[in-house]
């Protein structure tokens, strides 16, 4: 039985100071029992001789200095895992909330994890078919990648993430992904949307869900994604499963981080976020990947809402520096009724080159990707010009490109929330669209691919 | 060492910073072992008998009262054969050895020497018994990799002496290969030598750089060259291609040794290098690139204090090879992450912050780092020279170049390759903005270019740059009043500028042929673009319509020039030059 201290001297924000303590360790798990018998948890942020600074996950409201008792548990925050964890729903602190029994642990794992040795990593290269054309063709996701969705308030990121979770398969194999879902400070409705969607397709049986809702303790959010990833690592690298981790919304996470930092009176970096936010976010995002000689993998899709749709805001900015690309949603496309409103000009998948091509997707994939993004950009330029000078001022060629851009958005990017396109279907739509353009403008397609895939009799010759 | 061992007690733990009392007598930057887990740390502040220590490993579970033991030596790297082809973490623990010891994840308290103690190397002496030698002299050679001869030096700081015994044979790194007789008794030289990372290795003097580091990247070599022994920085927002540029330089730069530091970046990027470099062939030697490369990887999720140390570890290794007389190029990706590590430690020390929370000494630390680069006259006899070029990536938040790390870096480095988000969005790579980038070596290197590349090369470069500048001004006009307001001459300039951008500045890192472009070919492409420009201008004078000029078939061949294989290039070049001449005659007839 660990010693109990009743020596809290200071409570401020999510932090308490406990004095006259001994044998306290950095990062140690702490239990605080309030006067009315409630037990809360926290962790040691600073351990000095005689005093400890403790961060409470559940917040400090209702805590008093006199009657609260503090116990230092001598271990770090751990989560019990076993194969039975699949199909379960937990709160943000790892307690089951689906009415089921507690997990009988196979193991207890430290939620901070250890960094993967770069030498042991295997380079991600297996294409994941999400069934969404704007991702599969233009920004392909591969197994072991971390590819965030940069969204904005009111954009349909939740639908997209749920659709990916439902549809994702690795080409050539039929084994579905296990999904680990971490809800960070999102509303009940949003969390419920995901749960309902998982339930409807039976995906919940191979999912593990952690929910820290908007009205749950803010500081708990710092632990929630780590719990989710610890479970993901267990499933992937010990049970050999392919795991898709969805974390939403990382903006709420970063805000919790800022709250703790402000309470500690640390020197802030940009916009009040702590200077170590890059390192902290990296300790989450870098827990994706593949390992040599192990069958499993962790693919991460963190979702964040960009404050004011600004991608230079510290949260998307630091995320973009760590993750392997980003899917950026566009308010403009969303307004014109396009789903999913993926802005392919600014979205990027850094690992695409090794995941596509013959034997992985199809030989023409790289050609189609480059050519479509090139001509779509030209179409968008023409559209801008039309806004300034009027459509009448456009050349014939510009008009063709403008029509192409409209058509591309309507039939290629746009698709149903339940429409699951194979990569072949996606590429064929791309070829069909390109057949609307004069062939002389399609410089990035190889002749062999044109001969094989271009719909016959449609490609008009050079326009004059 | 045991007699001056100092043992203190931890009084405070706060993340990577540990404060210990009872440390009187230990020195700044001494390495200490922290806590019951024997974590590795370094003293960074001393006050009375308390020492502040930055710990290179995760400190969770460490608490007050645990012991801290000083080793009495500063943080050092092990230098000797076996470095080439290795991948180390920030404090020179070989990652492959750590994987063998602890599995796929890096756990704490692991200890692994930088160099393999078991492996035997074939040592061939190059001095004889009785010969007088001093610090920096080469006493023998070890073939370290098929392309690198490791020269064994008398360590800097060793006393002058005469060779007492030396012999050829197989040795481990800790065996004495040579004994010197000095005024202070016998001095044994082993293949393994140590050097404290924060101290620059001594040189006789620095020399002004005079030769370019050829990188095979057109915009760099032709427009913004870096000298051997020079310094450069690559700032850019995420997604603008910093890492690809760093990888391209590591692959194709004509340095003899490459040290690549992945400082706080992605784990998969280091994996990529590890998988790709053994496969890629160095155009200079015809051997795999890994045989000249050393990797230091402290990825973003590895402990932050070791990230701070990683660039020192890297540059000390680089200096060691420079001291053998090699041309060494060092890439650090990214120095911003290093600065952030500095900021984090400084914050925990409760130092008064400078701009954006960075410590006030950020600028001086950066200068100290970049000043370790340079072309140098080496110590030891024979008047040998070596060069160490340093190229640092900078990751400015939000792409805003006014932030402290970029600004402090720009005050020191001589070459600035500014990456531009808009170019990247238009898929123009490398996304180096030609309007605001600069190289202060350009003038100094001109004599070299005139001599080896072409007498008119610097003039061609200046002309091309002038065209690109003018394009920028003209485009401004077009944006305001439309293309119709331009004269044909001005439109010709726009067309040439477009050709310069698309056929010369654009270079695909992933295209088999385009990824590397020789000096000769760079000169050739630039020449044919400008030739065509002059021809076109001449024809306009004679009243030929602009449309006619722009429809000339030869333009397509110019556009394809960058993907013409190097061996076919001389022929293709002659043929295009002749064709441009022909077309001009044909039109004026």
């Amino acid at each position: 039985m660990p010693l109990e201290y009743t020596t809290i001297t200071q409570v401020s924000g999510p932090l308490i100071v406990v004095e006259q303590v001994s044998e306290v360790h950095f990062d140690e798990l702490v239990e605080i029992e309030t006067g009315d018998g409630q037990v809360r948890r926290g962790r040691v942020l600073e351990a000095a001789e005689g005093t400890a600074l403790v961060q409470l996950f559940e917040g400090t409201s209702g805590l008093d200095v006199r009657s609260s008792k503090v116990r230092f548990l001598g271990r770090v925050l751990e989560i019990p895992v076993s194969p039975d964890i699949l199909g379960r729903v937990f709160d943000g602190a790892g307690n089951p909330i689906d009415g089921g029994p507690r997990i009988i642990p196979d193991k207890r794992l430290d939620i901070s994890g250890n960094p993967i040795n770069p030498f042991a990593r295997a380079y991600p290269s297996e294409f994941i078919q999400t069934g969404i054309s704007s991702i599969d063709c233009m920004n392909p996701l591969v197994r072991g990648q971390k590819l965030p969705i940069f969204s904005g308030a009111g954009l349909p990121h939740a639908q997209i993430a749920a659709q990916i979770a439902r549809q994702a398969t690795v080409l050539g194999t039929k084994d579905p992904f296990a999904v680990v879902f971490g809800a960070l400070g999102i509303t009940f409705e949003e969390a419920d949307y995901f749960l309902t969607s998982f339930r409807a397709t039976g995906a919940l049986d191979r999912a593990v869900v952690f929910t820290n809702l908007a009205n749950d303790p803010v500081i708990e959010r710092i632990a929630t994604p780590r719990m989710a990833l610890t479970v993901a690592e267990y499933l992937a690298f010990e049970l050999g499963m392919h795991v898709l981790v969805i974390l939403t919304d990382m903006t709420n996470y970063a805000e919790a981080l800022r709250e703790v930092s402000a309470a500690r009176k640390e020197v802030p970096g940009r916009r009040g976020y702590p200077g170590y936010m890059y390192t902290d976010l990296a300790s989450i995002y870098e827990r994706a990947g593949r390992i040599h000689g192990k069958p499993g993998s962790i693919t991460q899709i963190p979702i964040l809402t960009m404050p004011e749709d600004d991608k230079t805001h510290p949260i998307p900015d630091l995320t973009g520096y760590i993750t392997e690309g980003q899917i950026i949603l566009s308010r403009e496309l969303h307004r014109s009724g396009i789903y999913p409103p993926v802005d392919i000009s600014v979205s990027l998948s850094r690992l695409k080159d090794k995941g596509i091509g013959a034997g992985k997707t199809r030989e023409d994939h790289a050609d189609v990707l480059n050519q479509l993004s090139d001509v779509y950009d030209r179409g968008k330029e023409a559209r801008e010009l039309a806004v300034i000078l009027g459509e009448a001022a456009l050349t014939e060629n510009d008009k063709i490109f403008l029509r192409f851009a409209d058509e591309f958005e309507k039939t290629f990017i746009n698709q149903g929330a339940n429409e699951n396109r194979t990569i072949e279907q996606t590429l064929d739509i791309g070829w069909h669209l390109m057949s609307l353009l004069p062939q002389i403008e399609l410089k990035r397609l190889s002749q062999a691919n044109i001969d094989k895939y271009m719909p016959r009799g449609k490609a008009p010759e050079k326009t004059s | 060492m045991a007699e001056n061992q100092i043992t203190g007690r931890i009084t405070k733990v706060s993340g990577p910073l540990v404060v210990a009392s009872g440390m009187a007598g230990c020195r700044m930057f001494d390495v200490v072992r922290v806590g019951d887990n024997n974590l590795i740390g370094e003293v960074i502040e001393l006050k009375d008998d308390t020492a502040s220590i930055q710990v290179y490993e995760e400190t969770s579970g460490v608490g007050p009262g645990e012991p801290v033991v000083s080793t009495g030596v500063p943080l050092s790297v092990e230098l000797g054969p076996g470095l080439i082809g290795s991948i180390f973490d920030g404090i020179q623990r070989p990652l492959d050895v750590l994987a063998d010891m602890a599995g796929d994840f890096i756990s704490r308290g692991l200890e692994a020497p930088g160099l393999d103690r078991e492996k035997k190397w074939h040592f061939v002496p190059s001095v004889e018994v009785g010969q007088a030698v001093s610090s920096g002299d080469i006493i023998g050679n070890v073939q370290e990799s098929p392309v690198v001869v490791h020269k064994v030096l008398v360590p800097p700081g060793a006393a002058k002496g005469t060779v007492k015994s030396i012999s050829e044979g197989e040795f481990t790194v800790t065996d004495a290969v040579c004994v010197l007789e000095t005024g202070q008794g016998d001095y044994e030289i082993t293949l393994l030598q140590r050097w404290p990372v924060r101290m620059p290795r001594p040189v006789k003097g620095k020399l002004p750089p005079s030769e370019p580091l050829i990188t095979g990247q057109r915009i760099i070599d032709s427009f913004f060259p870096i000298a051997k022994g020079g310094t450069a920085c690559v700032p850019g927002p995420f997604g603008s291609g910093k890492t690809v540029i760093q990888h391209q330089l590591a692959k194709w730069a004509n340095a003899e040794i490459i040290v690549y530091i992945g400082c706080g970046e992605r784990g998969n990027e280091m994996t990529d290098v590890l998988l790709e470099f053994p496969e890629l062939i160095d155009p200079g030697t015809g051997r795999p690139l890994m045989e000249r490369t050393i990797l230091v990887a402290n990825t973003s999720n590895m402990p932050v204090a070791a990230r701070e140390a990683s660039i020192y570890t890297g540059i000390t290794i680089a200096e060691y090879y420079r001291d053998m007389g090699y041309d060494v190029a060092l890439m650090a990706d990214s120095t911003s992450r290093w600065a952030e590590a500095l900021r984090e430690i400084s914050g925990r020390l409760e130092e008064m912050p400078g701009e954006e929370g960075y410590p006030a000494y950020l600028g001086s630390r950066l200068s100290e780092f970049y000043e370790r680069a340079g072309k140098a006259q080496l110590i030891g006899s024979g008047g040998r020279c070596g060069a160490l070029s340093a190229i640092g990536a900078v990751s400015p938040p939000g792409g805003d170049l006014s932030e402290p790390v970029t600004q402090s870096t720009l005050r020191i480095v001589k070459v600035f390759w500014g990456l531009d988000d808009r170019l990247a969005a238009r898929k123009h790579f490398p996304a180096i903005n030609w309007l605001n980038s600069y190289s202060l070596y350009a003038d100094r290197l001109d004599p070299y270019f005139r001599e080896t590349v072409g007498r008119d090369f610097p003039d061609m470069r200046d002309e091309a740059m002038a065209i690109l500048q003018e394009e920028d001004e003209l485009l401004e006009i077009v944006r305001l009043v439309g293309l119709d307001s331009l004269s044909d001459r001005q439109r010709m300039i726009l067309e040439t500028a477009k050709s310069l951008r698309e056929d010369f500045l654009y270079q695909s890192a992933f295209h088999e042929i385009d990824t590397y472009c020789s000096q000769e070919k760079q000169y050739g492409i630039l020449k044919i673009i400008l030739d065509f420009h002059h021809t076109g201008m001449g024809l306009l004078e004679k009243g030929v319509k602009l449309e006619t000029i722009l429809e000339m078939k030869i333009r397509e061949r110019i556009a394809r020039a960058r993907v013409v294989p190097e061996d076919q290039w001389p022929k293709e070049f002659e043929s295009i030059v002749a064709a441009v001449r022909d077309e001009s005659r044909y039109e004026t007839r």
Side-chain angles (χ1 to χ4, degrees):
Chain A
M1 186 66 193
L3 280 174
E4 271 187 359
Y5 296 97
T6 51
T7 45
I8 300 178
T9 56
Q10 200 185 327
V11 183
S12 112
L15 307 179
I16 59 171
V17 177
V18 192
E19 289 194 351
Q20 297 166 39
V21 295
S22 61
E23 286 288 302
V24 177
H25 304 96
F26 175 67
D27 213 22
E28 187 175 357
L29 188 63
V30 183
E31 263 181 13
I32 297 100
E33 197 180 320
T34 58
D36 52 9
Q38 257 185 23
V39 176
R40 299 184 192 180
R41 294 198 293 176
R43 74 182 182 110
V44 176
L45 285 185
E46 210 174 278
E49 265 185 338
T51 57
L53 179 69
V54 178
Q55 162 201 315
L56 260 64
F57 292 120
E58 283 105 329
T60 46
S61 63
L63 204 71
D64 70 317
V65 174
R66 211 170 304 151
S67 61
S68 303
K69 293 175 211 151
V70 180
R71 289 188 289 269
F72 294 89
L73 301 182
R75 54 185 165 90
V76 293
L77 190 51
E78 287 168 335
I79 182 162
V81 291
S82 86
D84 298 333
I85 204 163
L86 276 176
R88 302 297 305 273
V89 183
F90 301 89
D91 68 4
N95 306 307
I97 49 168
D98 53 1
R102 288 198 156 265
I103 296 292
I104 299 164
D106 225 14
K107 271 186 175 182
R108 292 180 166 275
L109 297 174
D110 174 1
I111 65 159
S112 302
N114 276 326
I116 302 181
N117 188 331
F119 186 79
R121 277 182 187 270
Y123 201 75
S125 63
E126 293 134 312
F127 176 78
I128 297 175
Q129 179 176 296
T130 65
I132 297 174
S133 297
S134 46
I135 295 177
D136 286 354
C137 175
M138 308 308 288
N139 300 289
L141 177 68
V142 294
R143 215 141 66 170
Q145 185 174 15
K146 39 194 179 292
L147 187 65
I149 298 177
F150 287 8
S151 181
L155 295 180
H157 45 264
Q159 284 89 314
I160 300 173
Q163 190 175 2
I164 294 174
R166 279 198 309 270
Q167 299 180 350
T169 49
V170 167
L171 229 51
T173 68
K174 282 282 159 270
D175 24 320
F177 282 87
V179 176
V180 174
F181 178 72
L184 310 172
I186 59 174
T187 59
F188 167 76
E189 280 114 290
E190 211 173 333
D192 187 57
Y193 171 82
F194 276 103
L195 281 178
T196 314
S197 151
F198 292 159
R199 231 175 251 131
T201 53
L204 194 60
D205 296 339
R206 46 185 176 86
V208 184
V209 178
F210 290 87
T211 53
N212 168 283
L213 298 183
N215 57 349
D216 285 339
V218 172
I219 306 307
E220 197 178 272
R221 259 162 235 169
I222 294 177
T224 310
R226 296 189 162 83
M227 291 191 181
L229 286 162
T230 306
V231 170
E233 279 170 1
Y234 171 74
L235 296 176
F237 302 128
E238 298 197 22
L239 303 186
M241 303 171 98
H242 294 292
V243 186
L244 190 67
V245 180
I246 297 173
L247 299 170
T248 179
D249 175 330
M250 288 304 288
T251 304
N252 295 333
Y253 171 82
E255 243 131 58
L257 209 60
R258 177 164 71 175
E259 199 175 319
V260 175
S261 171
R264 291 186 73 181
K265 302 189 173 61
E266 289 172 334
V267 180
R270 285 173 75 223
R271 298 221 190 176
Y273 291 97
Y276 49 79
M277 191 157 85
Y278 175 84
T279 307
D280 190 277
L281 287 175
S283 71
I284 292 177
Y285 297 140
E286 276 288 327
R287 290 172 83 173
R290 301 216 52 185
I291 289 179
H292 266 301
K294 297 232 166 139
S297 67
I298 298 180
T299 309
Q300 259 192 51
I301 304 186
I303 298 171
L304 57 89
T305 47
M306 298 181 280
E308 295 169 56
D309 293 352
D310 173 14
K311 79 167 173 150
T312 65
H313 183 281
I315 301 169
D317 188 56
L318 294 178
T319 300
Y321 274 122
I322 305 163
T323 54
E324 284 138 354
Q326 66 277 339
I327 304 283
I328 301 188
L329 303 188
S330 145
R331 200 166 288 279
E332 213 174 301
L333 284 176
H334 180 60
R335 276 203 202 108
S336 43
I338 307 283
Y339 172 89
V342 175
D343 186 343
I344 60 161
S345 314
V346 286
S347 298
L348 168 76
S349 166
R350 290 168 187 268
L351 304 182
K352 61 174 186 285
D353 298 300
K354 302 224 160 94
I356 62 174
K360 293 191 166 146
T361 52
R362 210 167 76 179
E363 62 206 325
D364 56 325
H365 192 154
D367 271 13
V368 174
L369 191 168
N370 288 327
Q371 188 64 67
L372 282 178
S373 84
D374 185 51
V375 289
Y376 178 56
D377 279 346
R378 288 189 57 181
K380 289 217 298 194
E381 269 170 40
R383 189 183 288 163
E384 263 170 45
L385 221 58
V387 171
I388 303 169
L389 305 170
E391 203 161 323
L394 297 185
T395 63
E396 271 317 304
N397 239 0
D398 280 347
K399 281 184 195 157
I400 295 178
F401 278 106
L402 177 57
R403 254 197 326 272
F404 168 83
D406 290 341
E407 206 53 37
F408 179 75
E409 286 169 4
K410 247 179 271 161
T411 59
F412 186 91
I413 298 184
N414 193 28
Q415 67 182 88
N418 284 311
E419 187 180 351
N420 190 357
R421 294 183 188 157
T422 66
I423 182 68
E424 287 82 12
Q425 282 170 336
T426 292
L427 292 173
D428 290 343
I429 298 173
W431 278 102
H432 173 76
L433 285 168
M434 286 189 291
S435 72
L436 303 173
L437 294 169
Q439 201 165 324
I440 184 140
E441 302 288 352
L442 305 175
K443 287 182 188 154
R444 306 202 177 186
L445 301 175
S446 77
Q447 196 56 46
N449 281 335
I450 291 181
D451 294 345
K452 190 162 171 194
Y453 294 108
M454 183 67 85
R456 239 176 286 273
K458 280 192 182 155
E461 277 308 299
K462 188 182 166 185
T463 51
S464 49
Chain B
M1 206 186 288
E3 55 270 27
N4 61 4
Q5 199 174 60
I6 297 149
T7 306
R9 283 177 58 254
I10 297 177
T11 57
K12 184 177 152 189
V13 187
S14 166
L17 183 80
V18 166
V19 180
S21 65
M23 298 296 288
C26 87
R27 289 167 303 180
M28 277 292 270
F29 300 119
D30 274 359
V31 171
V32 294
R33 307 312 291 256
V34 177
D36 301 330
N37 278 331
N38 264 329
L39 309 181
I40 304 167
E42 186 184 15
V43 177
I44 53 169
E45 198 182 68
L46 288 169
K47 247 184 236 161
D48 299 332
D49 75 333
T50 62
S52 299
I53 297 153
Q54 61 174 349
V55 183
Y56 293 126
E57 296 178 80
E58 190 60 47
T59 50
S60 69
V62 178
E66 290 184 36
V68 173
V69 182
S70 165
T71 60
V73 288
L75 183 66
S76 304
V77 285
E78 295 190 350
L79 302 167
L83 292 170
I84 298 280
S86 296
I87 178 166
F88 299 107
D89 77 350
I91 47 173
Q92 213 208 4
R93 293 182 300 183
L95 288 173
D96 50 343
V97 176
L98 293 190
D100 284 344
M101 290 166 72
D104 301 328
F105 293 84
I106 299 175
S107 45
R108 296 187 298 163
L110 296 174
E111 206 172 344
L115 295 177
D116 189 340
R117 292 288 189 275
E118 311 290 320
K119 181 160 181 177
K120 293 213 166 186
W121 298 92
H122 187 77
F123 173 77
V124 184
S126 61
V127 291
E128 282 159 16
V129 174
Q131 200 168 327
V133 291
S134 61
S135 291
D137 283 349
I138 298 169
I139 55 162
N141 296 315
V142 167
Q143 191 76 40
E144 187 176 0
S145 84
V147 297
V148 177
V149 177
H150 192 104
K151 295 168 185 161
V152 182
L153 307 172
V154 179
K160 255 193 168 102
T162 52
V163 178
K164 191 175 173 190
S165 71
I166 189 166
S167 58
E168 186 173 344
E170 307 290 317
F171 298 95
T172 67
V173 288
T174 47
D175 292 338
V177 294
C178 172
V179 179
L180 295 188
E181 196 168 355
T182 71
Q184 292 112 39
D186 285 358
Y187 183 91
E188 284 188 352
I189 297 176
T190 54
L191 295 178
L192 181 147
Q193 303 176 1
R194 285 196 178 80
W195 192 263
V197 297
R198 294 184 196 275
M199 195 200 286
R201 284 173 66 89
V203 291
K204 216 176 253 172
K206 289 226 178 155
L207 301 168
S210 57
E211 218 182 290
L213 182 74
I214 305 296
T215 65
Q217 311 303 303
R218 286 187 291 270
I219 185 164
I220 293 176
D221 290 350
S222 294
F223 282 76
F224 310 109
I226 172 175
K228 280 186 175 164
T231 50
C233 73
V234 202
F238 67 83
S240 59
K242 279 184 305 297
T243 301
V244 175
I245 289 184
Q246 292 274 36
H247 282 195
Q248 284 295 93
L249 297 184
K251 283 174 193 167
W252 308 124
N254 68 341
E256 289 157 304
I257 308 285
I258 300 286
V259 178
Y260 192 96
I261 309 169
C263 175
E265 289 288 308
R266 303 179 182 90
N268 277 332
E269 278 168 7
M270 296 315 293
T271 310
D272 191 23
V273 174
L274 272 176
L275 295 178
E276 204 177 10
F277 276 35
E279 307 287 322
L280 286 171
I281 300 298
D282 177 2
T285 59
R287 298 284 310 174
L289 286 168
M290 204 62 201
E291 291 175 1
R292 63 162 193 178
T293 308
I294 298 158
L295 302 173
V296 178
N298 209 87
T299 56
S300 54
N301 55 340
M302 285 157 75
V304 71
R307 190 195 300 168
E308 196 268 338
S310 67
I311 73 166
Y312 295 107
T313 298
I315 202 157
T316 309
I317 293 173
E319 283 178 337
Y320 175 63
Y321 282 93
R322 175 206 63 198
D323 289 349
M324 297 178 200
Y326 284 118
D327 273 332
V328 186
L330 170 134
M331 285 97 200
D333 185 13
S334 141
T335 55
S336 292
R337 304 303 163 218
W338 168 81
E340 277 167 15
L342 209 62
R343 171 167 74 181
E344 183 168 347
I345 306 288
S346 160
R348 303 220 187 238
L349 284 172
E350 291 168 9
E351 292 174 335
M352 183 67 89
E355 252 180 296
E356 288 197 19
Y358 286 104
Y361 47 78
L362 170 69
S364 57
R365 289 283 170 88
L366 273 168
S367 319
E368 279 166 24
F369 169 72
Y370 281 108
E371 268 305 289
R372 289 173 76 168
K375 184 173 171 184
Q377 178 114 44
L378 304 176
I379 57 170
S381 53
R384 291 171 302 123
C385 289
L388 168 51
S389 320
I391 298 147
V394 184
S395 317
D400 170 16
L401 297 186
S402 66
E403 60 93 36
V405 183
T406 314
Q407 287 304 316
S408 307
T409 307
L410 285 179
R411 284 205 297 275
I412 316 153
V413 299
K414 298 282 186 291
V415 180
F416 166 67
W417 298 316
L419 297 183
D420 194 324
D421 221 3
R422 282 161 305 172
L423 290 176
R426 295 209 310 250
K427 309 274 185 295
H428 177 99
F429 289 107
I432 297 175
N433 184 326
W434 49 90
L435 295 174
N436 69 9
S437 299
Y438 59 80
S439 164
L440 300 181
Y441 296 114
D443 293 337
R444 189 184 285 284
L445 297 174
D446 275 356
Y448 176 92
F449 285 124
R450 280 187 206 283
E451 192 117 320
T452 55
V453 184
R455 296 196 54 75
D456 49 348
F457 184 67
D459 309 316
M460 276 165 43
R461 179 190 62 209
D462 293 346
E463 187 185 354
M465 188 46 85
I467 291 173
L468 288 166
Q469 298 272 6
E470 195 166 353
E471 179 198 32
D472 190 51
E473 289 158 23
L474 291 174
L475 284 179
E476 193 65 27
I477 299 177
V478 172
R479 239 168 269 135
L480 292 173
V481 287
L483 193 60
D484 298 340
S485 59
L486 297 188
S487 70
D488 277 358
R489 282 185 63 86
Q490 287 172 321
R491 286 187 55 193
M492 184 71 207
I493 286 175
L494 284 188
E495 288 296 331
T496 305
K498 184 168 168 234
S499 171
L500 282 170
R501 280 189 284 115
E502 291 178 359
D503 308 331
F504 188 80
L505 297 180
Y506 174 85
Q507 187 167 3
S508 167
F510 302 105
H511 188 282
E512 202 185 337
I513 293 162
D514 201 21
T515 183
Y516 177 85
C517 186
S518 69
Q519 287 276 283
E520 187 195 358
K521 194 172 154 193
Q522 296 189 20
Y523 172 84
I525 299 178
L526 200 54
K527 178 135 185 100
I528 53 176
I529 293 173
L530 292 175
D531 264 8
F532 184 80
H533 178 68
H534 298 147
T535 304
M537 283 299 198
L539 292 175
L540 282 178
E541 294 271 308
K542 290 181 179 128
V544 179
K545 274 169 74 186
L546 180 69
E547 283 69 26
T548 321
I549 299 170
L550 298 185
E551 271 169 24
M552 287 182 173
K553 276 272 178 285
I554 191 67
R555 294 185 77 215
E556 273 177 38
R557 287 180 64 193
I558 296 177
R560 274 200 311 270
R562 60 184 183 86
V563 293
V564 173
E566 293 283 343
D567 52 339
Q568 294 162 28
W569 174 249
K571 230 174 106 193
E572 176 71 8
F573 173 63
E574 291 304 324
S575 145
I576 294 179
V577 170
V580 171
R581 222 181 296 129
D582 284 352
E583 296 234 23
S584 71
R585 264 190 235 121
Y586 175 80
E587 295 299 337
T588 47
R589 215 165 30 200

